[in-house]
Amino acid sequence: MLKTHKIALAPNNKQRAWFAQQCGYARFAYNHALADFKSGLENDEFLSTTTLNERFNVAKKGYAWTKAQDQVVANKSIFVNLSAAIANWVGKRAKFPRYKKRGKKDAFTTNNQSVRVEGKRIRLPKIGWIKMFEELRFIGKLIKVTISRTADRWFVSITVEITEDTEAVDNSTHPVVGIDVGINTLATCSDGSKYDNPRPLKRYERKLKRAHRRLSKQTKGSKNWIKQRQKIARIYYRISCIRNDAHHKATTAIVNNASAIGIETLKVTNMLKNKKLAKALSDSAVGGFLSKLKTKAETRNISVTEASQFYASSKTCSDCGHKKKDLTLKERTYHCSECGVSIDRDVNAALNLRNVAVGHTETENACGVQVRPQSEARDTEAGKAVWQQQLLPI
């Protein structure tokens, strides 16, 4: 099993300059190989990454500054990054690769065989020991080491191959949980617990406007312009940290207290077409929240059931199953006209998603294979007994 730990670094000025040089060298190798690949396509020739790397090794001899660089960085940039980009384009999973630009997603991968980690420091080729803010959480064989920059901070991502899954826990005694995600409340669970949405973009929106206004008054390319760009990058980085911190805390608390999880299927790209909700949805980043939830649940062997895309979890009564025709966003309490139940709108949706997860669990055998339709399992007497047993009260 592969585990990756991203740790912040505390480099000195010399080490920062070295990192910037290696990012530039990786970008130079990537762009040179991509230009060769495009010229080959124009001549009806599909060049392999091995050929592209050989051509780059010949061409780099014309640049004296490349001799002092880490040559593994260029090889990884071609064999790993460019190769994956070309494969995604060939497999129609992405568009044609683009040239890398300076200052955007600066990163490079070095030789993991020459890397050593001891406590809160790491030794990299040609630069030596560098301080880290925390120790590596995993013990095992080093597979990949990548240095990256976010705003003005440097990070190292260390991928380790471990033999045992230390995060595997027994959650069979915990109840099935349904989760309804939203804007005002990040996540509402079927047991009544709610996780607040910090809305960091809304909090820092005024500060961002002032920073961008000041940047527009600077001369592009000047030192003050570069400093102001770095200030803006730090603000965006802080927004990202606040959002990710809320996501990680919520998802960890959920998977630690659930045996199975039911969620809704969201088409975030379609939801962002609503101009009135686009900014709030982007600030909440519900897609990233659900992605983190799935990853952590998979690590702990917890099944995640996604309801149908058109399943009306908010309009359906969780008590009697009656479905409302119209339900506006202003109605925060669900009132059922059939059974008279009155319940919080988000909790009602979470209960319906929990019912979907319970029905999915009932229709699977020990190997996870469907043995009968969900509705048929509930219609039988044994199915009804299991259904009522697993629907624990909130």
Side-chain angles (χ1 to χ4, degrees):
M1 180 175 292
L2 300 180
K3 295 284 187 179
T4 302
H5 189 188
K6 187 175 181 180
I7 307 174
L9 297 174
N12 54 36
N13 292 335
K14 181 180 178 180
Q15 293 167 345
R16 286 176 177 272
W18 172 259
F19 290 161
Q21 290 176 9
Q22 301 315 300
C23 290
Y25 191 41
R27 182 174 61 253
F28 173 72
Y30 183 95
N31 292 341
H32 188 281
L34 180 57
D36 281 350
F37 181 74
K38 292 180 68 175
S39 62
L41 292 179
E42 293 174 357
N43 298 326
D44 297 332
E45 184 181 5
F46 192 94
L47 300 178
S48 64
T49 51
T50 303
T51 304
L52 294 174
N53 187 65
E54 291 175 353
R55 291 190 177 188
F56 174 76
N57 290 335
V58 175
K60 71 181 181 181
K61 295 180 181 179
Y63 303 91
W65 60 271
T66 60
K67 295 181 180 179
Q69 310 305 316
D70 187 358
Q71 303 305 320
V72 178
V73 170
N75 294 336
K76 295 285 187 180
S77 181
I78 296 175
F79 279 110
V80 178
N81 299 339
L82 182 59
S83 177
I86 294 175
N88 290 333
W89 171 66
V90 173
K92 297 182 180 181
R93 295 183 295 271
K95 296 181 180 180
F96 190 81
R98 296 181 179 180
Y99 292 111
K100 292 183 178 294
K101 296 183 179 180
R102 181 180 180 182
K104 292 187 177 181
K105 299 182 179 180
D106 285 342
F108 67 92
T109 302
T110 186
N111 186 8
N112 58 285
Q113 297 178 355
S114 304
V115 175
R116 289 175 55 191
V117 180
E118 294 181 0
K120 292 185 178 181
R121 63 176 189 165
I122 182 173
R123 186 181 184 277
L124 298 178
K126 291 195 173 187
I127 194 61
W129 292 99
I130 303 171
K131 295 181 181 179
M132 301 190 301
F133 277 89
E134 57 181 319
E135 297 182 1
L136 181 63
R137 291 200 302 262
F138 311 115
I139 300 176
K141 181 181 178 182
L142 295 181
I143 301 299
K144 186 179 179 181
V145 178
T146 300
I147 309 296
S148 61
R149 176 169 56 186
T150 303
D152 57 346
R153 302 195 64 183
W154 290 95
F155 298 86
V156 57
S157 297
I158 307 174
T159 302
V160 180
E161 183 180 7
I162 61 176
T163 55
E164 297 181 359
D165 186 8
T166 56
E167 297 186 21
V169 293
D170 184 15
N171 288 358
S172 57
T173 58
H174 296 302
V176 181
V177 177
I179 303 170
D180 178 69
V181 295
I183 297 176
N184 295 327
T185 303
L186 179 62
T188 303
C189 299
S190 54
D191 58 1
S193 59
K194 295 186 177 183
Y195 299 91
D196 294 332
N197 185 8
R199 302 285 293 275
L201 181 60
K202 183 179 180 180
R203 188 192 308 178
Y204 285 91
E205 189 173 11
R206 186 179 178 184
K207 190 173 184 178
L208 275 173
K209 286 183 179 180
R210 289 199 300 264
H212 278 288
R213 190 182 303 118
R214 181 170 296 180
L215 179 66
S216 65
K217 296 178 181 179
Q218 304 290 346
T219 302
K220 187 174 182 180
S222 63
K223 291 185 177 180
N224 289 334
W225 182 81
I226 295 174
K227 290 180 182 179
Q228 188 62 25
R229 281 191 63 188
Q230 293 175 350
K231 290 181 181 179
I232 295 174
R234 285 194 291 268
I235 297 174
Y236 278 114
Y237 172 65
R238 181 168 181 80
I239 292 173
S240 176
C241 288
I242 295 174
R243 183 183 295 121
N244 288 331
D245 180 68
H247 286 186
H248 282 295
K249 287 181 178 178
T251 51
T252 300
I254 291 172
V255 298
N256 286 340
N257 298 280
S259 60
I261 299 174
I263 60 175
E264 52 190 336
T265 302
L266 297 178
K267 296 295 182 181
V268 181
T269 54
N270 295 338
M271 296 169 63
L272 292 177
K273 294 179 181 179
N274 187 338
K275 296 181 180 180
K276 296 182 179 179
L277 298 176
K279 183 184 291 186
L281 286 171
S282 300
D283 196 6
S284 303
V286 293
F289 174 82
L290 294 177
S291 178
K292 293 181 182 68
L293 182 68
K294 293 176 185 177
T295 302
K296 293 183 180 181
E298 182 181 358
T299 304
R300 292 164 174 79
N301 296 324
I302 299 175
S303 63
V304 177
T305 305
E306 295 187 48
S308 174
Q309 179 181 353
F310 302 102
Y311 177 66
S313 59
S314 298
K315 295 182 179 181
T316 304
C317 178
S318 58
D319 189 37
C320 66
H322 172 71
K323 181 180 177 181
K324 275 190 174 183
K325 292 184 178 180
D326 297 321
L327 184 67
T328 61
L329 292 175
K330 295 182 180 179
E331 299 180 47
R332 304 315 305 170
T333 303
Y334 185 91
H335 300 281
C336 182
S337 58
E338 295 292 327
C339 62
V341 68
S342 181
I343 189 174
D344 182 87
R345 173 199 180 109
D346 296 334
V347 175
N348 177 70
L351 287 170
N352 286 324
L353 294 172
R354 183 188 67 171
N355 297 346
V356 172
V358 170
H360 179 79
T361 305
E362 287 179 3
T363 59
E364 289 185 350
N365 58 19
C367 299
V369 180
Q370 292 282 339
V371 293
R372 63 170 62 92
Q374 176 180 332
S375 58
E376 181 182 345
R378 291 201 301 265
D379 291 341
T380 61
E381 293 299 329
K384 290 181 180 179
V386 176
W387 179 269
Q388 295 175 357
Q389 182 181 2
Q390 294 195 30
L391 288 179
L392 302 178
I394 63 173

